[in-house]
């Protein structure tokens, strides 16, 4: 492992500090490419204008017609947190803007698979819909859109995924990643795209005289959902996404959020008045995702849609229970999959350039999480496969993959598919996460072909785990109020939370936790003792070591003390 300190441009840090930014924040922002205080303005007026999105004007006109003609609209969602929040934003937003008939349908992960398929299009038509709107899917649904059009439906695709070789023949497509779209924020989540479509629809209805600037419905109440879905989908937090997330967090901290979001905070044991991006990514998001993994994402969407506080609490409690079940299944699977992965190489050897594992007892709803855990531990692109549970698909394996920086997972699958036609039945995804289906008898061919691509594409530098940090932490910043200051900011993918690094003295160390799988440390940091913990680490450290760590506050009997959360060590 290599610990590398980020470059901190001194002029940018100085300019931010002179503009009134806290000295530590000035340094952190400068290291992340922020040049001036105006870039930190998270006001709604600073959001990129919707008109920059290709296809959004056409979508707004079609939806305005549907609203004014009281046509029936059905949203086809995805079964993850981004899809669930995008669906809830779509349903709530369309109703706010006057739609009388808005329904939704979410595919089942096992029986339907991902996206708008022809059978899903037929189910939408059977509901008597006139308009079909996709959220967080649809850009690759060429056959599904064709079927919907053949059934007489108007189709509006809203998505953020990368398109395939051909675009679907929808009536309107809104996707910042479609060819010819010049919208600056290519990293918007599906929920962000749907929110933008609603902004454009409101503008179109205003132009038609339905309401004016004073009487138009406010869409601000949707921002907590936009923030949640954006962080949970681990999209890059560029300036526009950070503004969307900051606005959502402000409303949640002020108590202005849908009952379901408040209930999820309560179920997760988190405090909404002190909400952080960490809560979205590690507390609320997993509880919503669990419904799509093990049960029915309708539960997650209903939790986000209900305005009944008691119903929201009931649904949040159900989601919490499903998430506990998910963790139990994941724990057993992770242990088994890790043993299988580690059996692929000797202790004295480095892991192979890519990892693929399959077990007939694996649960297909959890393979992505397990792949992520193996990738984190071994620092290799990883696929985990489970046998399909879909009727008639028993001889197919459904795999989910996670990658490391420098290895584009979807492109790797594309190359495997071209080199070995017929091995991959279908695939899709992003650079860092992707999914594919292979025939069971073709698993060995896939494993070898995937490893071959990794062997060709990855070099020693890419295969070495690197932790980028913000360098040493001044002793005067080791305070609880500074930790609170940092937690209030918007951090996430592409705008990583502060991580510091420096050499410390290890005063004592012991294993803690029920399974004795966490290392509790007492350190000497720049002349002052401090507690630290390294979750999931069991190997003892030398007396002096360079650590990478984040800051946290440990509360015990009313006392708040700073502690270090260790991320890695350079021995």
């Amino acid at each position: 492992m290599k610990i590398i300190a980020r470059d901190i441009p001194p002029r940018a840090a100085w300019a931010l500090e002179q503009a009134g930014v806290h000295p530590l924040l000035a340094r952190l922002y400068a290291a992340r490419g922020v040049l001036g205080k105006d870039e930190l303005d998270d006001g709604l007026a600073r959001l990129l204008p919707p008109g920059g999105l290709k296809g959004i004007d056409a979508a707004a006109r079609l939806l305005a017609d549907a609203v004014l003609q009281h046509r029936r609209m059905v949203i086809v969602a995805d079964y993850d947190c981004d899809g669930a929040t995008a669906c809830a934003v779509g349903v709530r937003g369309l109703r706010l803007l006057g739609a009388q008939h808005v329904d939704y349908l979410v595919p089942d992960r096992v029986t339907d698979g991902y996206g708008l398929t022809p059978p899903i299009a037929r189910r939408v038509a059977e509901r008597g819909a006139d308009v079909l709107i996709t959220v967080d899917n649809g850009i690759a649904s060429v056959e599904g859109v064709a079927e919907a059009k053949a059934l007489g439906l108007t189709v509006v695709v809203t998505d953020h995924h990368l398109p395939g070789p051909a675009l679907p023949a929808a009536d309107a497509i809104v996707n910042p990643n479609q060819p010819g779209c010049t919208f600056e924020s290519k990293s918007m989540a599906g929920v962000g795209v749907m929110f933008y479509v609603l902004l454009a629809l409101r503008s179109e209805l205003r132009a038609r005289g339905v309401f004016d600037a004073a009487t138009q419905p406010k869409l601000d109440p949707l921002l907590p959902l936009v923030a949640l879905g954006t962080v949970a989908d681990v999209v890059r937090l560029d300036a526009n996404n950070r503004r969307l997330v900051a606005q959502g967090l402000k409303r949640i901290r002020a108590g202005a959020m849908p009952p379901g979001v408040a209930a999820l905070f309560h179920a997760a044991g988190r405090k909404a008045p002190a909400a952080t991006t960490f809560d979205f990514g590690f507390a609320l998001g997993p509880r919503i995702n669990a419904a799509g993994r093990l049960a029915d994402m309708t539960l997650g969407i209903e939790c986000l849609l209900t305005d009944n506080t008691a119903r929201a609490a009931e649904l949040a409690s159900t989601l919490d229970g499903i998430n506990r079940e998910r963790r139990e299944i994941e724990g057993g699977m992770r242990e088994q999959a890790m043993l299988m992965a580690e059996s692929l190489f000797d202790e004295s050897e480095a892991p192979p350039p890519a990892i693929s594992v399959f077990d007939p007892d694996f649960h297909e709803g959890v393979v992505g999480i397990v792949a992520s855990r193996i990738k984190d531990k071994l620092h290799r692109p990883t696929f985990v496969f489970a046998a399909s549970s879909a009727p008639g698909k028993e001889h197919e394996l459904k795999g989910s993959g996670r990658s490391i920086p420098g290895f584009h997972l979807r492109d790797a699958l594309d190359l495997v598919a071209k080199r070995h036609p017929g091995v991959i039945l279908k695939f899709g995804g992003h650079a860092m996460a992707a999914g594919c289906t292979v025939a069971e008898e073709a698993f060995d061919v896939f494993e070898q072909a995937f490893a071959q691509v990794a062997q060709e594409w990855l070099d020693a530098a890419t295969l070495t785990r690197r932790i980028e940090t913000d360098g040493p932490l001044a002793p005067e910043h080791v305070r609880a109020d500074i930790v609170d200051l940092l937690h209030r900011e918007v951090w996430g993918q592409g705008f990583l939370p502060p991580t510091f690094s420096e050499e410390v003295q290890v005063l004592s160390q012991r294993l803690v936790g029920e399974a004795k799988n966490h290392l509790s440390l007492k350190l000497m940091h720049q002349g002052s003792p401090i507690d630290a913990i390294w979750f999931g680490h069991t190997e003892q450290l030398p007396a002096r070591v360079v650590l990478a760590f984040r800051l946290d506050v440990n509360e015990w009997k009313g006392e708040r003390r700073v502690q270090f959360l260790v991320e890695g060590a350079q021995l």
Side-chain angles (χ1 to χ4, degrees):
M1 172 182 290
K2 289 190 72 173
I3 294 176
I4 299 163
R6 294 183 179 91
D7 179 45
I8 302 170
R11 284 190 178 182
W14 181 84
L16 289 168
E17 195 172 336
Q18 291 299 303
V21 177
H22 186 281
L24 178 58
L25 282 177
R27 178 180 141 200
L28 297 172
Y29 282 138
R32 285 155 182 78
V34 176
L35 299 176
K37 191 177 181 182
D38 60 319
E39 294 179 48
L40 302 176
D41 182 353
D42 58 19
L44 288 174
R46 292 298 305 273
L47 285 176
L48 294 171
L53 278 161
K54 181 181 178 181
I56 200 165
D57 292 338
R61 287 192 295 271
L62 289 167
L63 294 177
D65 290 343
V67 169
L68 297 176
Q69 294 164 17
H70 303 300
R71 301 176 78 196
R72 294 184 176 275
M73 292 180 264
V74 172
I75 294 174
V76 176
D78 184 25
Y79 40 68
D80 68 356
C81 186
D82 185 19
T85 51
C87 182
V89 163
V91 172
R92 284 182 172 276
L94 287 167
R95 288 174 179 167
L96 278 171
L97 294 172
Q100 300 294 310
H101 309 287
V102 187
D103 198 2
Y104 71 90
L105 188 157
V106 58
D108 181 271
R109 180 187 291 267
V110 174
T111 57
D112 296 314
Y114 170 77
L116 173 61
T117 59
I120 293 287
R122 290 191 285 273
R123 279 158 59 185
V124 170
E126 286 164 7
R127 292 193 180 188
D130 304 301
V131 180
L132 186 158
I133 305 162
T134 71
V135 292
D136 194 29
N137 75 95
I139 195 66
S141 303
V142 175
E143 294 176 0
V145 170
E147 180 71 9
K149 292 298 299 173
L151 293 166
L153 292 165
T154 297
V155 180
V156 175
V157 167
T158 78
D159 200 354
H160 70 124
H161 293 95
L162 298 174
L167 293 178
D171 295 280
I173 298 176
V174 187
N175 180 339
N177 290 303
Q178 68 175 308
C181 185
T182 58
F183 193 70
E184 285 180 41
S185 178
K186 301 295 183 185
S187 302
M188 254 202 317
V191 66
V193 176
M194 188 62 220
F195 180 71
Y196 262 72
V197 168
L198 294 170
L199 291 175
L201 171 58
R202 185 176 66 177
S203 178
E204 175 68 19
L205 291 170
R206 199 168 58 237
R208 296 189 189 192
V210 177
F211 34 65
D212 58 27
T215 61
Q216 67 182 7
K218 289 187 178 298
L219 297 177
D220 304 18
L222 304 175
L223 285 164
L225 297 172
V226 177
L228 169 57
T230 297
V231 174
D233 211 45
V234 203
V235 295
R236 189 170 71 85
L237 292 187
D238 59 20
N240 207 59
N241 279 339
R242 291 203 308 278
R243 289 183 181 113
L244 290 170
V245 173
Q247 289 291 330
L249 278 173
K250 284 181 180 179
R251 284 159 178 77
I252 289 172
R253 290 167 184 163
M257 68 194 113
V261 173
L264 284 166
F265 267 97
H266 180 74
R270 310 295 294 183
K271 298 174 181 176
T276 67
T277 49
F278 182 90
D279 295 323
F280 291 155
F282 295 94
L284 276 67
R287 282 165 173 77
I288 296 172
N289 277 327
R293 295 184 188 283
L294 302 187
D296 179 0
M297 185 45 95
T298 302
L299 291 167
I301 295 171
E302 284 300 311
C303 183
L304 301 176
L305 281 177
T306 184
D307 288 319
N308 182 300
T309 304
R311 176 66 175 151
E314 178 188 335
L315 287 164
S317 177
T318 300
L319 291 170
D320 187 55
I322 296 169
N323 191 51
R324 280 197 299 272
E325 181 188 353
R326 186 270 304 167
R327 281 202 296 260
E328 288 176 14
I329 293 170
E330 180 204 327
M333 265 179 67
R334 183 177 66 240
E335 196 173 317
Q336 175 67 11
M338 197 68 77
L339 287 171
M340 295 171 73
E342 291 175 341
S343 73
L344 299 173
F345 59 99
D346 293 331
E347 273 189 41
S348 59
E349 299 175 332
I355 305 284
S356 300
V357 295
F358 158 65
D359 189 286
D361 292 330
F362 284 172
H363 191 296
E364 65 182 280
V366 188
V367 286
I369 302 176
V370 174
S372 183
R373 301 289 188 262
I374 295 174
K375 180 268 299 181
D376 287 344
K377 182 170 183 182
L378 300 181
H379 193 65
R380 294 294 186 269
T382 301
F383 260 95
V384 177
F385 287 86
S388 174
S389 305
K393 306 280 189 180
E394 291 81 5
H395 298 294
E396 293 183 0
L397 305 183
K398 295 177 79 170
S400 188
R402 298 293 182 269
S403 194
I404 61 175
F407 188 80
H408 197 298
L409 208 53
R410 185 188 176 279
D411 287 355
L413 291 178
D414 188 43
L415 185 53
V416 170
K418 286 171 179 170
R419 287 179 173 177
H420 302 273
V423 167
I424 299 180
L425 304 177
K426 58 182 177 180
F427 70 92
H430 300 286
M432 302 302 286
C436 69
T437 302
V438 304
E440 186 170 352
E441 62 271 16
F443 173 74
D444 290 342
V445 178
F446 172 86
E447 181 181 20
Q448 292 167 17
F450 181 54
Q452 179 63 35
V453 173
Q455 179 78 47
E456 295 168 12
W457 288 6
L458 294 168
D459 57 21
T462 314
L463 289 170
T464 301
R465 189 195 308 273
R466 297 156 58 98
I467 296 183
E468 278 197 319
T469 77
D470 297 290
L473 178 69
E476 64 265 26
H477 293 146
V478 185
R479 304 198 316 261
D481 63 311
I482 294 291
V483 180
D484 294 340
L485 174 74
L486 295 180
H487 283 181
R488 280 195 295 272
E489 301 302 305
V490 174
W491 313 104
Q493 185 72 18
F495 204 81
L496 293 174
T499 303
F500 305 96
S501 61
E502 57 194 294
E503 186 178 282
V504 295
Q505 181 184 353
V506 179
L507 302 176
S508 67
Q509 51 191 316
R510 62 190 177 93
L511 293 176
V512 297
E514 285 184 27
K516 299 292 184 187
N517 60 340
H518 309 308
L519 187 62
S520 175
L521 300 156
K522 287 195 179 298
L523 308 173
M524 184 65 73
H525 170 257
Q526 299 203 24
S528 299
I530 192 159
D531 292 335
I533 189 160
W534 191 347
F535 290 112
H537 186 86
T538 56
E539 297 170 19
Q540 296 285 295
L541 295 176
R544 296 198 72 84
V545 63
V546 175
L547 293 181
F549 56 91
R550 291 184 292 112
L551 295 179
D552 196 23
V553 172
N554 188 20
E555 296 192 31
W556 177 250
K557 294 184 177 179
E559 187 180 358
R560 304 178 78 235
R561 298 175 63 182
V562 176
Q563 68 173 355
F564 292 172
L565 302 180
V566 180
E567 297 279 293
Q570 188 168 287
L571 303 174

